[in-house]
Short mmCIF file of all heavy atoms in Angstrom, two decimals:
data_model
loop_
_atom_site.label_atom_id
_atom_site.label_comp_id
_atom_site.label_asym_id
_atom_site.label_seq_id
_atom_site.Cartn_x
_atom_site.Cartn_y
_atom_site.Cartn_z
N LEU A 72 162.36 102.20 136.68
CA LEU A 72 161.13 101.41 136.72
C LEU A 72 160.18 101.85 135.61
O LEU A 72 159.50 101.01 135.00
CB LEU A 72 160.47 101.54 138.08
CG LEU A 72 159.12 100.83 138.26
CD1 LEU A 72 159.22 99.35 137.92
CD2 LEU A 72 158.61 101.01 139.69
N SER A 73 160.11 103.14 135.34
CA SER A 73 159.25 103.62 134.25
C SER A 73 159.67 103.02 132.92
O SER A 73 158.82 102.63 132.10
CB SER A 73 159.32 105.15 134.17
OG SER A 73 158.77 105.75 135.33
N ARG A 74 160.97 102.90 132.70
CA ARG A 74 161.46 102.31 131.46
C ARG A 74 161.05 100.84 131.37
O ARG A 74 160.66 100.35 130.32
CB ARG A 74 162.98 102.46 131.39
CG ARG A 74 163.58 102.02 130.07
CD ARG A 74 165.10 102.14 130.10
NE ARG A 74 165.54 103.49 130.42
CZ ARG A 74 166.82 103.84 130.58
NH1 ARG A 74 167.78 102.92 130.48
NH2 ARG A 74 167.13 105.07 130.85
N VAL A 75 161.15 100.14 132.49
CA VAL A 75 160.79 98.72 132.51
C VAL A 75 159.29 98.56 132.24
O VAL A 75 158.87 97.67 131.48
CB VAL A 75 161.18 98.08 133.85
CG1 VAL A 75 160.68 96.65 133.93
CG2 VAL A 75 162.70 98.11 134.04
N ILE A 76 158.46 99.39 132.86
CA ILE A 76 157.01 99.29 132.66
C ILE A 76 156.64 99.60 131.21
O ILE A 76 155.78 98.93 130.61
CB ILE A 76 156.27 100.22 133.63
CG1 ILE A 76 156.43 99.71 135.06
CG2 ILE A 76 154.79 100.31 133.28
CD1 ILE A 76 155.81 100.61 136.11
N ASP A 77 157.27 100.60 130.63
CA ASP A 77 157.02 100.92 129.21
C ASP A 77 157.28 99.70 128.34
O ASP A 77 156.49 99.38 127.43
CB ASP A 77 157.91 102.08 128.77
CG ASP A 77 157.27 103.43 129.06
OD1 ASP A 77 156.03 103.52 129.01
OD2 ASP A 77 158.01 104.39 129.33
N ALA A 78 158.40 99.04 128.60
CA ALA A 78 158.74 97.85 127.80
C ALA A 78 157.72 96.73 128.03
O ALA A 78 157.34 96.02 127.09
CB ALA A 78 160.15 97.37 128.17
N ALA A 79 157.26 96.57 129.27
CA ALA A 79 156.29 95.52 129.56
C ALA A 79 154.96 95.78 128.86
O ALA A 79 154.33 94.87 128.31
CB ALA A 79 156.08 95.41 131.07
N LEU A 80 154.49 97.02 128.87
CA LEU A 80 153.23 97.36 128.21
C LEU A 80 153.31 97.16 126.71
O LEU A 80 152.29 96.96 126.03
CB LEU A 80 152.83 98.80 128.53
CG LEU A 80 152.47 99.09 129.98
CD1 LEU A 80 152.17 100.56 130.18
CD2 LEU A 80 151.28 98.24 130.42
N LEU A 81 154.51 97.18 126.17
CA LEU A 81 154.69 96.99 124.74
C LEU A 81 154.87 95.52 124.37
O LEU A 81 154.39 95.08 123.31
CB LEU A 81 155.93 97.78 124.26
CG LEU A 81 156.23 97.75 122.76
CD1 LEU A 81 155.09 98.39 121.97
CD2 LEU A 81 157.55 98.46 122.47
N ASN A 82 155.50 94.74 125.25
CA ASN A 82 155.91 93.39 124.86
C ASN A 82 155.25 92.26 125.66
O ASN A 82 155.42 91.09 125.29
CB ASN A 82 157.43 93.25 125.01
CG ASN A 82 158.18 94.20 124.11
OD1 ASN A 82 158.06 94.15 122.90
ND2 ASN A 82 158.97 95.09 124.71
N ASN A 83 154.56 92.57 126.74
CA ASN A 83 153.99 91.51 127.57
C ASN A 83 152.99 90.67 126.76
O ASN A 83 152.10 91.20 126.10
CB ASN A 83 153.29 92.12 128.79
CG ASN A 83 152.72 91.08 129.71
OD1 ASN A 83 151.59 90.65 129.55
ND2 ASN A 83 153.51 90.64 130.67
N ARG A 84 153.16 89.35 126.83
CA ARG A 84 152.33 88.47 126.00
C ARG A 84 150.89 88.40 126.49
O ARG A 84 149.97 88.20 125.68
CB ARG A 84 152.96 87.07 125.96
CG ARG A 84 154.33 87.00 125.30
CD ARG A 84 154.39 87.78 123.99
NE ARG A 84 155.60 87.55 123.23
CZ ARG A 84 156.67 88.32 123.25
NH1 ARG A 84 156.71 89.39 124.03
NH2 ARG A 84 157.72 88.04 122.50
N ASP A 85 150.66 88.56 127.78
CA ASP A 85 149.28 88.60 128.27
C ASP A 85 148.54 89.79 127.70
O ASP A 85 147.35 89.70 127.35
CB ASP A 85 149.26 88.66 129.81
CG ASP A 85 149.66 87.34 130.44
OD1 ASP A 85 149.48 86.30 129.78
OD2 ASP A 85 150.14 87.35 131.59
N LEU A 86 149.22 90.92 127.58
CA LEU A 86 148.58 92.11 127.00
C LEU A 86 148.33 91.92 125.51
O LEU A 86 147.33 92.42 124.98
CB LEU A 86 149.45 93.34 127.25
CG LEU A 86 149.60 93.77 128.71
CD1 LEU A 86 150.36 95.08 128.80
CD2 LEU A 86 148.23 93.91 129.37
N ARG A 87 149.22 91.22 124.84
CA ARG A 87 148.98 90.94 123.42
C ARG A 87 147.76 90.04 123.26
O ARG A 87 146.97 90.20 122.34
CB ARG A 87 150.21 90.29 122.80
CG ARG A 87 151.40 91.25 122.66
CD ARG A 87 152.56 90.63 121.92
NE ARG A 87 153.68 91.55 121.79
CZ ARG A 87 154.82 91.26 121.17
NH1 ARG A 87 154.99 90.06 120.61
NH2 ARG A 87 155.79 92.15 121.10
N ARG A 88 147.61 89.07 124.17
CA ARG A 88 146.43 88.22 124.13
C ARG A 88 145.18 89.05 124.40
O ARG A 88 144.14 88.86 123.75
CB ARG A 88 146.58 87.14 125.20
CG ARG A 88 145.39 86.24 125.42
CD ARG A 88 145.20 85.27 124.29
NE ARG A 88 144.21 85.74 123.33
CZ ARG A 88 143.83 85.08 122.26
NH1 ARG A 88 144.38 83.91 122.00
NH2 ARG A 88 142.92 85.55 121.45
N ALA A 89 145.26 89.99 125.36
CA ALA A 89 144.12 90.84 125.66
C ALA A 89 143.76 91.72 124.47
O ALA A 89 142.58 91.94 124.17
CB ALA A 89 144.43 91.71 126.89
N ALA A 90 144.78 92.23 123.76
CA ALA A 90 144.52 93.05 122.57
C ALA A 90 143.84 92.23 121.49
O ALA A 90 142.92 92.70 120.80
CB ALA A 90 145.82 93.64 122.06
N ALA A 91 144.27 90.97 121.33
CA ALA A 91 143.62 90.09 120.35
C ALA A 91 142.18 89.81 120.74
O ALA A 91 141.29 89.73 119.88
CB ALA A 91 144.41 88.79 120.22
N ASN A 92 141.93 89.68 122.05
CA ASN A 92 140.56 89.45 122.51
C ASN A 92 139.67 90.65 122.19
O ASN A 92 138.48 90.49 121.86
CB ASN A 92 140.55 89.18 124.02
CG ASN A 92 141.12 87.82 124.36
OD1 ASN A 92 141.21 86.94 123.51
ND2 ASN A 92 141.53 87.65 125.60
N ILE A 93 140.23 91.86 122.31
CA ILE A 93 139.47 93.07 121.98
C ILE A 93 139.09 93.06 120.50
O ILE A 93 137.95 93.34 120.12
CB ILE A 93 140.27 94.33 122.33
CG1 ILE A 93 140.34 94.51 123.85
CG2 ILE A 93 139.64 95.56 121.69
CD1 ILE A 93 141.14 95.72 124.26
N GLU A 94 140.07 92.76 119.65
CA GLU A 94 139.79 92.73 118.22
C GLU A 94 138.75 91.66 117.88
O GLU A 94 137.89 91.86 117.03
CB GLU A 94 141.09 92.46 117.45
CG GLU A 94 142.09 93.60 117.52
CD GLU A 94 141.52 94.91 117.01
OE1 GLU A 94 140.82 94.89 115.97
OE2 GLU A 94 141.75 95.95 117.65
N SER A 95 138.83 90.52 118.56
CA SER A 95 137.85 89.46 118.34
C SER A 95 136.46 89.90 118.76
O SER A 95 135.47 89.70 118.03
CB SER A 95 138.27 88.21 119.11
OG SER A 95 137.29 87.19 119.00
#
Side-chain angles (χ1 to χ4, degrees):
L72 177 55
S73 295
R74 187 182 303 176
V75 174
I76 292 176
D77 273 328
L80 293 177
L81 183 63
N82 298 299
N83 182 271
R84 296 314 190 264
D85 287 335
L86 294 186
R87 290 186 180 181
R88 174 73 263 181
N92 289 341
I93 288 179
E94 292 303 318
S95 176

